[in-house]
Amino acid sequence: MLGGELLGAYCLSEPAGGSDAAALTTRAVRDGDTYVIDGTKAWITHAHDADFFNVFARTGGPGPGGISCLLVDANTPGIVPQAPERTMGLHASPISQIAFDGVRVPADRLVGEEGTGFGIAMRALDSGRLGIAACAVGLAQAALDYAVGYAREREQFGTPIIDFQGLGFMLADMATQISAARALTLHAARLRDRGRPYSTEAAKAKLFATDMAMKVTTDAVQVLGGYGYVADHPVERYMREAKVLQIVEGTNQIQRLVISRSLSKS
Ligand SMILES: Cc1cc2nc3c(=O)[nH]c(=O)nc-3n(C[C@H](O)[C@H](O)[C@H](O)COP(=O)(O)OP(=O)(O)OC[C@H]3O[C@@H](n4cnc5c(N)ncnc54)[C@H](O)[C@@H]3O)c2cc1C
């Protein structure tokens, strides 16, 4: 994987729910020295291209304590990726449901102990949230750079539009919000690098950076006027890509839940 030769996929979400992951219903039943997995996973990135899947499945009773994590080779019989979803953006990263129909996995492919899968899933999401925050900062920076370049060139009323205060202030706000999101993201990443607790800070960075990216990319479309709305310029795509960042790795409502729970504990 580190050499870029193997691709993995993360299979937590299901058709009936993503936010309430602890309620997942895919089952892995122990049968001798194998587990047999049955169920359907939803929205799986790399579903068709992955070499293996990290599958979170129920090996015990209800709730988070009944969930385990299994490493499953993609060519195992019974794994059936469904047709790719027709998404608003992220067209270079197809997603689809995967049906697991009597998929037999050697018992030594259990990651950690039985019943510890939910914690593994949540730790992966903590890390993933840093990645999504970084994506949001980069996406917003690209939108700002493009909008500034355009606003310097485009003239109306005989003046470059960047010199109209209404537009210049909008660009100033965009630049400021990006700097703030970058700082939050780096702060959370540095905590992780130092081995310090970073879960709440990662949630804050993901929440702030992705809401910021949605606003900044929408404003970038506005700066270009009608030209912002057509595919000849990249900003309409940036706006569509920003939307998904508010949804993946836990929606921004779930980030608020994580942050507010940390406040109620302290
Ligand atoms: C492009 C893309 C790629 C993805 N890749 C993967 C992947 O590789 N692996 C994977 O496992 N999943 C993946 N997902 C799934 C993603 O994690 C879920 O879509 C997400 O967690 C939300 O779950 P849901 O879609 O079921 O929405 P729901 O959980 O049904 O939520 C619907 C709405 O209700 C809100 N809501 C839910 N609960 C609460 C609450 N307690 N308080 C306030 N509001 C609440 C949500 O914020 C949302 O606005 C992907 C999704 C997309 C769109």
Side-chain angles (χ1 to χ4, degrees):
M1 280 190 85
L2 291 175
E5 289 159 17
L6 286 178
L7 199 56
Y10 175 89
C11 303
L12 180 66
S13 305
E14 298 187 349
S19 300
D20 188 9
L24 63 81
T25 60
T26 296
R27 288 212 69 90
V29 176
R30 184 77 189 245
D31 180 22
D33 56 2
T34 62
Y35 284 96
V36 183
I37 306 176
D38 282 285
T40 303
K41 292 293 178 180
W43 314 109
I44 305 307
T45 302
H46 306 147
H48 288 266
D49 305 311
D51 297 289
F52 63 85
F53 301 105
N54 267 321
V55 181
F56 297 93
R58 194 162 295 287
T59 50
I67 296 171
S68 299
C69 175
L70 288 154
L71 187 66
V72 184
D73 285 337
N75 56 12
T76 313
I79 297 178
V80 189
Q82 309 293 302
E85 304 289 352
R86 292 170 299 151
T87 53
M88 180 193 287
L90 285 189
H91 293 150
S93 175
I95 54 172
S96 52
Q97 289 194 3
I98 304 178
F100 290 84
D101 184 11
V103 175
R104 233 167 233 285
V105 185
D108 66 2
R109 291 303 189 91
L110 179 71
V111 180
E113 305 289 321
E114 261 197 27
T116 63
F118 192 71
I120 294 169
M122 293 303 113
R123 284 197 294 282
L125 286 180
D126 283 343
S127 228
R129 283 166 191 162
L130 292 177
I132 297 298
C135 284
V137 170
L139 185 64
Q141 185 69 56
L144 174 68
D145 292 347
Y146 199 88
V148 166
Y150 184 88
R152 282 188 193 148
E153 296 277 320
R154 176 75 170 174
E155 291 191 1
Q156 289 294 288
F157 303 95
T159 306
I161 59 173
I162 198 166
D163 292 334
F164 297 125
Q165 197 179 62
L167 217 69
F169 278 15
M170 187 188 275
L171 291 165
D173 284 345
M174 291 158 73
T176 307
Q177 293 290 304
I178 293 169
S179 294
R182 182 176 285 118
L184 263 185
T185 304
L186 289 174
H187 170 63
R190 286 183 184 121
L191 288 176
R192 185 183 188 283
D193 281 351
R194 288 180 197 143
R196 303 265 304 279
Y198 71 99
S199 176
T200 309
E201 298 311 308
K204 287 180 192 168
K206 194 271 184 186
L207 169 63
F208 186 84
T210 60
D211 280 356
M212 174 283 296
M214 192 72 250
K215 172 87 171 82
V216 164
T217 55
T218 305
D219 286 348
V221 170
Q222 193 68 21
V223 170
L224 269 71
Y227 291 99
Y229 196 66
V230 293
D232 300 348
H233 296 271
V235 287
E236 60 83 29
R237 179 171 69 80
Y238 294 160
M239 193 177 107
R240 288 184 285 109
E241 309 291 26
K243 187 64 220 172
V244 78
L245 302 178
Q246 295 179 303
I247 296 169
V248 293
E249 306 284 327
T251 67
N252 282 5
Q253 285 75 27
I254 296 304
Q255 306 310 317
R256 289 182 170 92
L257 206 67
V258 169
I259 299 162
S260 65
R261 277 185 186 155
S262 81
L263 295 173
S264 73
K265 267 190 240 152
S266 56

